[in-house]
Each structure stands twice: as C-alpha cells, then as structure tokens.
Amino acid sequence: MNAPTASPASRSAAATDLDRLAIDTIRTLSMDGVEAAKSGHPGTPMALAPVAFTVWKDFLRYDPTDPLWPNRDRFVLSCGHASMLLYSLIHLAGIRRPASAGGAAAVSLEDIKKFRQLDSVCAGHPEHHMTSGIETTTGPLGQGCGNSVGMAIASRWLAAHYNQPGQTLFDFDTYVLCSDGDLMEGVATEAASLAGHLKLANLCWLYDDNSITIEGETDLAFTENVELKFKGLGWHVERVADANDTAALKRALTAFKSQQEKPTLIIVKSQIGFGAPKKAGSHESHGAPLGPDEIKGAKAAYGWPVDAQFLVPAEVPAHFTATLGARGQQAHAAWKTALSGLTKQHPAVAAELANFLAGSLPAGWEKAIPTFPADAKGVASRVSSGKVLSALSPNVPWLIGGSADLAPSTMTLVAGAGDFGPESYGGRNFHFGIREHAMASACNGMALSGLRPFCATFFVFLDYLKPALRLSAIGNLGVIYVLTHDSIGLGEDGPTHQPIEQLASARAVPGLSVFRPADANEVAEMWRVVMQRPDRPAVLVLSRQNLPTLDRTQLGSASGVAKGAYILQDVPKGTPDCILIGTGSELSLCLDAAAKLKESGVHARVVSMPSWDLFQEQDAAYRESVLPAKVTARVACEAACGFGWEKWLGTRGRFVGMTGFGASGPAGALYKHFGITAEGVADAAKQSIAAG
Ligand SMILES: Cc1ncc(C[n+]2csc(CCOP(=O)(O)OP(=O)(O)O)c2C)c(N)n1
C-alpha cells in the first residue's frame, strides 16, 4: 500500500504536510466509518475536518489523558449528525476514558469500524454519557448551541466564585461547530441572544456556511443575513472564505481569543463532501454513504491510497500528541499548581471546591430544610418550594438558576444571592428572559459543567422546553425544572395556561423524576430527595393556589415522598374497601372523600402518590404494601388528563380528573364545573366497589 501523499485537494498556504495528512485522515476515517455502517453522514466531516483540526491542534486546551479535567476547553459538535468527525478526532487525539473507568482509549479503531452498531461507543449521534471526549449529546439541531451557552456561563460563574488572585482555576472556553440547521432552529437564536446579552466572550461558534441542507440548497428556506443578525445580537463576527484555509481559520480563532466583550461567530464557507468527484457540494453527500466510486475519487483527490480503509498513518496521532496533548498537559499541570496554591492560601475555598469537584453535597447541606406546621389555610406549593430553595441555597453554593421572566410567580428568586449578569458573573439568580427552550438547553450545559441548575416557568410551558428536557433525561443531567401553576387551579388565565396533558407527557420520559407534592412538607421532602440525585433531572409540579398543610401527627409522614407513594391515612383495621390515590392539590379531596365514605360505612385507604417513577423504583413488597393487589376498587384524583393512570388503577378503578381543556374562571368554580370534588371522588369509589 502506498503511503498517502500531501493532499493536493486540501492544500493551503499555511497547512504543513503533517497537518494535511491529519486532516485527510479525519476525512477518510469518517468516510470509511459511514461506508462500513452503510448509514451516516460523510459530507460534513469531509468539509469540516480542517476547521475542527485547527481548533484542536492550535487552540483547544484539553488533556487527552484526563477528559474530565474541570478546566478543559469544551468542544461541542452541535451538528451531531456529523458524528464521525468527532469520533475521528477522539481517536486520533488519543483521548482516554477516565481513570475511574479503566483509562483505555475512548474510541479505538475497532470502535470506529463498528460505527452505528449496537453497543458501539460510536453511536449514530454523539452521546455524552457513553463516550469520553463527547462534551454533550447532540443530534437534535440547535441543542449543542444552547448547551454551549450554559457551559460558557458555568466557566464565568466558576471563575467568579473560585478564582483567587494568582490562582486561576476556571477560565475555559467553549467552541461549537454548528450548521445551517442549527442556526435555523429557534433555540439557537434564543441562546445566541442570551449569550450576546451576557457578553460571553469565552464562547465561539464556528458556523458551517455550506449552503446545503437535506432538501437541497439553503435558499429554499434560509435567506437571512446571518452576519447582520449575529451582530445585532451582540456578537463579534469573523469570516473565513474557505474551510481549507487553515491560516485564515487561525486568524479568526486568534481574534476570538482576544475578544473581551462579545461572543464570536466565525462564518466558514465550506463545500459539503469536499473532494468527492460528483457529490461534493451536493446534498447527496449529506446523509448517505458515498459509495465506492465516490470514495475512491475523494481519496485520489486527497492523494490517499484509494483502496486503503481506516488507514491511520502513525505520524497523525503523534502530531496530535505533540500539539494538543502537550499543550493540554502543560495547562493541566499549571492548573494543579494553582489548585495546591488555593489549598494553602484559601483552605476554605479549596474545601468547598473539592466538594464541588467530587460532585458531593457539602456537609450540613440539608440542615436548613424547614418543616411546616399543620395549617388548614395552607400555602401554595410554589411558595413552600421557594422557601425550601432559599433555605438550601446558602448551603449548596452551586445550586443556581432562575426563570424565564416568571420569578415572582415561580418563587425562584433567592434573596441575597445576587443576579448573574455581564457585570456580575458571581450572581446566582439567573434572568433567562422569555426563552424557555434556551433556558433549559443552557441548564443542560451548566449541569454538564458540574453545577446544579434549576430553571422555572409555568408548567404549561413544559412544551416550550421539552426537547431540552428530553436531553436532560437521556444524558442523566440533574437539571431541576420548577414548573408552577400546575392545573385548572390557576384559575382565570384559562385553558391556554391550564396544563392538562403535561403531567402524562412528563411521566412518559424515561429517566426523569416527576413530582407533584401535596403540601408544604411533601415539598420539603421532594427537595431533599432531588438534591441527592444529581444524575437525574426532576420536574417539580407546583400549585399556584394554597394547599392545606396536612397534620402529620394524624397522617402518614411526608418522608414517604422518598418512596414515590405512601399511605397517608389507612382504615382502622383489616383490608380497605377501596383505595383513593391523590397527588398535589387533589390529595385533600381524597381525604375529604374518605371521610364522606366512612359516613356510609365504606372504609377507604388514602394514598399520596407524588412521584410515579420513584414508586415504580421501589421493591414489589413495598408497592404491594401500599397498593395491595387484592384491593381492586380504586380511585385516582388529579386535575389533569387521566392518560396512564390505568397502570395504578387496573380495570376496575375510576379516574376523577380532566377529559378536555380547562376554562377561564375562579379555581373553585372550575373544580365544581369539572366535577373534581370530594363528592365526585366518593361517588367514583362507590362505582368502583360496585363494579367488583
Ligand atoms: C431538530 C432537528 N430537526 C431535524 C433534524 C433532521 N436533520 C438532520 S441534519 C438536517 C439538516 C442538515 O443541514 P445542515 O444543518 O446544513 O447540515 P449539513 O447538511 O451541512 O451537514 C436535518 C433537518 C434534526 N437532526 N434535528
């Protein structure tokens, strides 16, 4: 087999032979990976290889031997369909798995040969939790852009919080490769607007302006002036006329590094499928293997042995080691020196940082969680949640977040914590603006940077942030979603604001905890549980209206929240005639219904079920102790659609709740109108018993 020669096709004034060899290795590995898988996206890796290579070789501060080094620069491939580009880079750069996971190569050549196969670390789209070197899971376009804003925020916040004069622990930059599809998505524009406002000069998006998407040329649907738009959003914009011009790329990236005020967008003109004889520049190279003729043609254009497959010239990994690796290890060593300086000179700061880096909660984190005395008038769960959050906040410094312009309603503003803004990166209250989707996507980026972020809006707007929420769950990211105004109980704002199907929709997401607490003490216990699961996103579904604070001297302890469901009130002895299951604001209706049933000689157990998923996690014996199989007369009451309740109700059970959208009116009138009352629950119980 002939050795590859310096690539004529990718020749540019500045690239050395070794650089060109590395760039063409990325290209050919990507093409071969897609070809072997018989599916994937070869065109964009072929086009963007010089762009990504320039970032990695000359700019990225990254230690391949320690992919979790906290101050590494982040590289995000937002156009996740070009995943082979990232796998090639991870392989060639020699990124290892963390020592705790054995330290082997994160992506071997064998892994690349198994691109897109079951159990391969080279999944169709990059999955953060699966493969070292992948900073975030991408594929749904725009999300990587949103995540990157959260990473840039995290870098700024961590710097403000932990850096000391002479000891820089955090100053990492975030680089993003993004495509036309990314920039067309609303979430990217929301995120860009936020980044511009926050003056995140540590953020650089490299936009692949290749004028091609799946259906053809971008001018079918995308004719905006991206440069003007981003300038309007407060970004600094650079242009590179040819993706192969590594010298121009270097100049643009150097301009980014010297930017102090604004995030940077580098608009790079590239040709999709670069080098392929017929498919270069065509959407045909976007999402399907090139086929043997085009592969050979492209390899010939690169000066590559046309029949070689998965060829990695030994000089290429060595080149990465000598550049990226050497620079990263040096920076990492300097960071360790700074850390030991911090330990000596600021031991308290260092101790807190040690907890943060270990991902553990500080000692005494839960000491201020309040308990609430019984109170018939009660308090809205959004209000009790705000109290618990404010109590937790001083003891968990990296619990930070905010809302999409609804803090006075969601009760998520923490007094005394300061605002995060361009002049105050140490603040802990975030004003995400009315950008729910970017808020959630940025929170994913913050969680990926070790923070415990929370974000808040009305529950009905779950749908505005759902794509990011779904990625929190896929990636095991412990974002806390504080979602208030949880039912028709919000009243007069009417059906547009009254969530009906959102509970079912949230409960359907695997890996997500959904809580709908019934009173202030359940709220406190919910926060206690959530804080201890940093790898699990949680949706906290909270009421606008007051909920009575239940008398726990007479009823089951709210600590039962940790098990998802528990017996709140049982029958005096023997087997219950029926079980009434309630969540949130409807739990009290179940208690009232039980009292009514008792008057007619029916003995009902009342179960509080704030979290289906936690209850499902309990062992069968516990679940049986709460919901005995032999008690088939059951009623669930929830002011939402009943979708999914069959699981707990069985065929004989009845559901009291909503069957359509709500209406505008006072909460009390709405509950009556829709039949969600203690009488309704008691009647349903009698029907369920009669059906036996
Ligand atoms: C939210 C979302 N919508 C749709 C898709 C399906 N999809 C994958 S790539 C793509 C567009 C490809 O165009 P571009 O972003 O310019 O990438 P390129 O063709 O340059 O690789 C689409 C619509 C997706 N991945 N994510």
Side-chain angles (χ1 to χ4, degrees), residues 41 43-45 79 81-82 125 139-143 178-185 207-208 210-215 218 270 272 283 285-287:
H41 302 77
T44 300
C79 44
H81 58 275
H125 292 86
L141 290 164
Q143 292 297 337
C178 56
S179 64
D180 297 308
D182 282 302
L183 291 203
M184 284 190 221
E185 289 292 351
Y207 162 43
D208 176 25
N210 68 7
S211 305
I212 289 290
T213 63
I214 289 178
E215 292 183 3
T218 42
S270 84
I272 193 165
H283 63 113
S285 69
H286 161 85

Side-chain angles (χ1 to χ4, degrees), residues 479-503:
V479 178
I480 303 169
Y481 293 89
V482 181
L483 302 178
T484 67
H485 296 57
D486 71 343
S487 73
I488 55 165
L490 67 86
E492 293 80 353
D493 275 340
T496 55
H497 282 52
Q498 291 165 353
I500 300 300
E501 74 281 23
Q502 282 69 18
L503 266 170

Side-chain angles (χ1 to χ4, degrees), residues 415-434:
D419 284 349
F420 182 93
E423 272 79 47
S424 53
Y425 287 133
R428 295 173 59 195
N429 285 311
F430 282 71
H431 301 279
F432 289 107
I434 306 140

Side-chain angles (χ1 to χ4, degrees), residues 506-538:
R507 285 172 178 151
V509 180
L512 175 70
S513 275
V514 181
F515 293 87
R516 187 164 184 255
D519 78 345
N521 288 307
E522 282 200 2
V523 166
E525 293 309 308
M526 167 188 75
W527 273 100
R528 194 190 307 279
V529 173
V530 166
M531 289 307 296
Q532 293 175 80
R533 299 196 68 170
D535 57 348
R536 193 171 169 98

Side-chain angles (χ1 to χ4, degrees), residues 536 563-565 609 611-620 622-623 647-648:
R536 193 171 169 98
K563 295 192 163 181
M609 193 185 254
S611 173
W612 289 15
D613 53 284
L614 280 196
F615 186 57
Q616 186 62 50
E617 274 183 14
Q618 306 308 311
D619 59 35
Y622 179 74
R623 279 185 275 136
K647 178 180 169 94
W648 310 112

